[in-house]
Amino acid sequence: MNMSSKRAFTLVELLVVIAIIGILIALLLPAVQAAREAARRSQCTNNVKQLSLAVHNYHDTFKRIPPGSLSADPVNYSTADWCSLSTPPRRGAPWTVLILPFIEQENLYNQFAMGEQFTATSNITGSSTNAPLFDLNNAAFQCPSDPNSASDVNNCNYFGVQGGGPGTALSCGSNSDRRVFFVTGVMIHNGNLRFASVTDGTSNVFLIGETKYGLTRNGRSDGIVGGWAQAAKIDAWAMPGVLAAAVLQINSYDSDGGSSDTLNYQTRIFGSFHPGGCQFGMVDGSVHFVSETIDLDVYRQLANRDDELPIGGLPQ
């Protein structure tokens, strides 16, 4: 009588198959991750584009570039300690709120009380009307590559560019070298500029830059946070809200707003979770990925509206 034999995999054969599958997964995973990052970066580019176009539509309507941030009462910048006034000016709306009607968020815009105090940071709150709005999530200001972005977070990945370079900041308060105010760029505190003021050429000057340094809820142990609707803070610890200057090289601070206290960095640096650099919207509405290895002098010059530098404009 013939006995039928059953063929089965040996242990060695199984281990070989598992090893091959593991190698294939290891080879495939970077490609999958790269494809996902490419999609996230494309969405980020679109975000910057839409915000830049909103600034253009604001300019078309009001005949000026939206102020980067506002003090609702006059401020004399020539005063040595202009931000530490005995009666601080009312904190007005930042550019991120002012452009809401131009990114199809007019209903949200109408919920803000423009004549009342805005929140600067979570411990310096605005009026009873404006304070709750500070905590709202707004995906229009979130980069999907930022792990700190979520549907219940108010973080902001896009700051207005207020200028650049060493030694051109307005002195203000005890942290004037770390929480800087510039007026050499396009998005400036209490600004009243037009595109005609950008004499270096609208394709050669930064308008909006990407940042990973905005302080989020996990950055400080005391829970103090900023956010997309953050007003300028006018006091001894002043800072211009959702504005930054090109002072430090892109991505040169090795942390982010979800990992550490970035309040002393976020106004002097741009950066992202995209490998190698970050996105910038130019005044003409175009969007460019700028390398973190860009020459520092050239990078700083691109943030200023009328210094006649750099020769040749944005490096290609």
Side-chain angles (χ1 to χ4, degrees):
M1 183 173 65
N2 293 329
M3 299 291 293
S4 60
S5 60
K6 294 184 178 180
R7 175 72 174 166
F9 288 110
T10 67
L11 178 60
V12 172
E13 289 172 328
L14 285 173
L15 290 175
V16 169
V17 170
I18 291 171
I20 293 172
I21 292 173
I23 292 171
L24 292 175
I25 291 174
L27 293 173
L28 183 61
L29 189 59
V32 172
Q33 292 174 333
R36 288 176 175 173
E37 167 54 23
R40 291 191 293 261
R41 178 168 152 178
S42 178
Q43 179 59 52
C44 181
T45 300
N46 184 63
N47 288 349
V48 179
K49 182 71 173 181
Q50 295 308 311
L51 295 176
S52 300
L53 292 176
V55 170
H56 275 254
N57 290 332
Y58 182 100
H59 184 278
D60 290 344
T61 301
F62 298 105
K63 310 307 178 187
R64 66 169 182 169
I65 300 166
S69 54
L70 280 171
S71 293
D73 302 305
V75 172
N76 182 2
Y77 295 119
S78 63
T79 303
D81 202 17
W82 63 268
C83 60
S84 302
L85 305 174
S86 57
T87 304
R90 287 172 296 149
R91 299 180 299 275
W95 70 273
T96 46
V97 171
L98 295 174
I99 67 167
L100 288 177
F102 304 100
I103 55 173
E104 299 182 354
Q105 295 190 25
E106 188 167 5
N107 288 339
L108 177 56
Y109 175 84
N110 290 334
Q111 295 179 49
F112 285 93
M114 291 296 159
E116 298 178 7
Q117 289 270 24
F118 277 71
T119 296
T121 48
S122 56
N123 62 322
I124 303 177
T125 58
S127 68
S128 59
T129 300
N130 292 336
L133 301 173
F134 173 82
D135 295 317
L136 294 181
N137 167 266
N138 196 326
F141 296 98
Q142 290 182 321
C143 171
S145 290
D146 187 346
N148 300 304
S149 295
S151 61
D152 60 344
V153 180
N154 70 334
N155 68 307
C156 184
N157 288 116
Y158 309 111
F159 278 16
V161 182
Q162 57 174 343
T168 57
L170 295 175
S171 180
C172 187
S174 58
N175 269 346
S176 61
D177 60 336
R178 289 173 288 177
R179 303 182 183 185
V180 297
F181 286 76
F182 277 64
V183 293
T184 56
V186 177
M187 290 273 205
I188 61 176
H189 184 66
N190 280 354
N192 190 28
L193 301 173
R194 303 187 66 179
F195 287 146
S197 305
V198 187
T199 57
D200 282 0
T202 57
S203 63
N204 299 325
V205 178
F206 294 144
L207 175 67
I208 297 169
E210 188 180 1
T211 183
K212 62 180 179 181
Y213 298 108
L215 185 64
T216 70
R217 61 189 178 187
N218 296 320
R220 285 173 59 120
S221 59
D222 58 11
I224 292 175
V225 301
W228 69 270
Q230 178 178 355
K233 187 170 178 284
I234 308 297
D235 58 16
W237 303 91
M239 60 185 301
V242 283
L243 301 175
V247 179
L248 304 177
Q249 187 65 279
I250 296 169
N251 287 333
S252 59
Y253 180 54
D254 190 22
S255 190
D256 60 84
S259 303
S260 65
D261 181 358
T262 51
L263 285 182
N264 288 338
Y265 287 92
Q266 70 177 52
T267 66
R268 297 180 291 142
I269 188 171
F270 290 92
S272 78
F273 287 93
H274 310 302
C278 68
Q279 310 271 14
F280 279 90
M282 312 303 287
V283 178
D284 68 352
S286 63
V287 180
H288 298 269
F289 188 80
V290 179
S291 171
E292 62 191 22
T293 62
I294 186 174
D295 179 85
L296 183 58
D297 289 334
V298 170
Y299 167 61
R300 289 168 169 173
Q301 291 157 4
L302 287 164
N304 297 318
R305 65 182 182 271
D306 58 1
D307 61 358
E308 300 182 354
L309 294 169
I311 303 300
L314 182 70
Q316 301 301 315

